[in-house]
Amino acid sequence: MSAASTATASVWQTVVGQSHAVQQLQQLATQSVHAYLFVGPEGCGKEEAARAFSTVLITGSDDATTREAKLIARGAYSDVNEVLREGAAVDKDEADNIVRLSSTTPSESKVKIVIIHELHLMRDSAAVRLLKTIEEPPERMIFILLADQLVPALATINSRCVVVNFVRPDDTQIAEALVAEGIKPDLAASVSR
């Protein structure tokens, strides 16, 4: 990479077709909030946004070339933990593990972040177990919850979070992102559909 392209590499470049959500997250990064809920259809980029947002919260910068940014993007940074469900839904045992994980202190940075995928598939028993932790998290703890949709069973958790909505990117935005990564335009247009 040249010095010019390195200087302009932003973690937000991986979040395709979500300019409104990215703008909202850039503003939220300057505030002290302990829980965020990213809502949007599968494949809309909310996972990439969660990693980009985590980078900004950890480093105070959107520079994608830092050690922290690279590790967070790969899911390998010690103070950003991603929780994926193991079965059909996030259950009480997984919620217990999240609570234990959230009780540990950051090892490298000023905050610890837990990203919970597929919140909309959480069982009621798990939601009850997590509610108190999300309402009153340990100091220096931030939750980023990801859901395809808001579900009534999780209304109490939803109400404790700042909600950021994501939309499905259109085919043109997807194709442009693929071309920027070196895919031939004809193939990018076909794949984006």
Side-chain angles (χ1 to χ4, degrees):
M1 238 183 223
S2 71
S5 64
T6 302
T8 61
S10 168
V11 293
W12 301 114
Q13 290 172 327
T14 61
V15 186
V16 176
Q18 303 296 338
S19 59
H20 179 72
V22 167
Q23 183 179 10
Q24 184 180 1
L25 290 170
Q26 289 170 327
Q27 291 171 346
L28 288 169
T30 63
Q31 301 171 11
S32 179
V33 178
H34 66 277
Y36 301 88
L37 175 58
F38 294 7
V39 180
E42 184 177 346
C44 69
K46 60 186 179 284
E47 294 86 0
E48 291 80 4
R51 293 180 196 108
F53 189 52
S54 295
T55 298
V56 174
L57 293 174
I58 295 281
T59 67
S61 165
D62 71 347
D63 183 353
T65 64
T66 66
R67 172 188 164 273
E68 294 88 352
K70 291 175 184 177
L71 288 171
I72 291 168
R74 291 195 325 255
Y77 188 70
S78 63
D79 290 330
V80 178
N81 301 102
E82 295 193 42
V83 178
L84 301 162
R85 67 182 166 86
E86 293 179 12
V90 177
D91 63 20
K92 186 181 175 301
D93 291 338
E94 289 170 304
D96 287 341
N97 288 334
I98 294 166
V99 170
R100 273 192 295 282
L101 180 64
S102 70
S103 68
T104 61
T105 58
S107 60
E108 288 187 56
S109 62
K110 64 184 184 282
V111 296
K112 183 169 191 156
I113 299 171
V114 174
I115 301 170
I116 304 173
H117 293 259
E118 299 182 305
L119 185 75
H120 59 284
L121 297 177
M122 183 172 284
R123 295 192 194 287
D124 290 347
S125 60
V128 168
R129 179 68 178 105
L130 279 179
L131 181 59
K132 180 126 176 98
T133 302
I134 290 173
E135 282 180 325
E136 299 173 17
E139 192 175 331
R140 304 187 305 165
M141 182 71 213
I142 296 172
F143 289 97
I144 301 176
L145 313 173
L146 309 178
D148 289 357
Q149 59 194 352
L150 293 176
V151 293
L154 299 172
T156 307
I157 287 179
N158 298 350
S159 70
R160 303 307 192 264
C161 302
V162 173
V163 177
V164 179
N165 290 301
F166 289 76
V167 296
R168 183 188 175 283
D170 66 39
D171 295 347
T172 303
Q173 292 169 319
I174 296 169
E176 288 171 356
L178 291 171
V179 169
E181 290 181 14
I183 306 296
K184 293 182 179 180
D186 291 344
L187 180 58
S190 174
V191 168
S192 68
R193 288 190 292 275

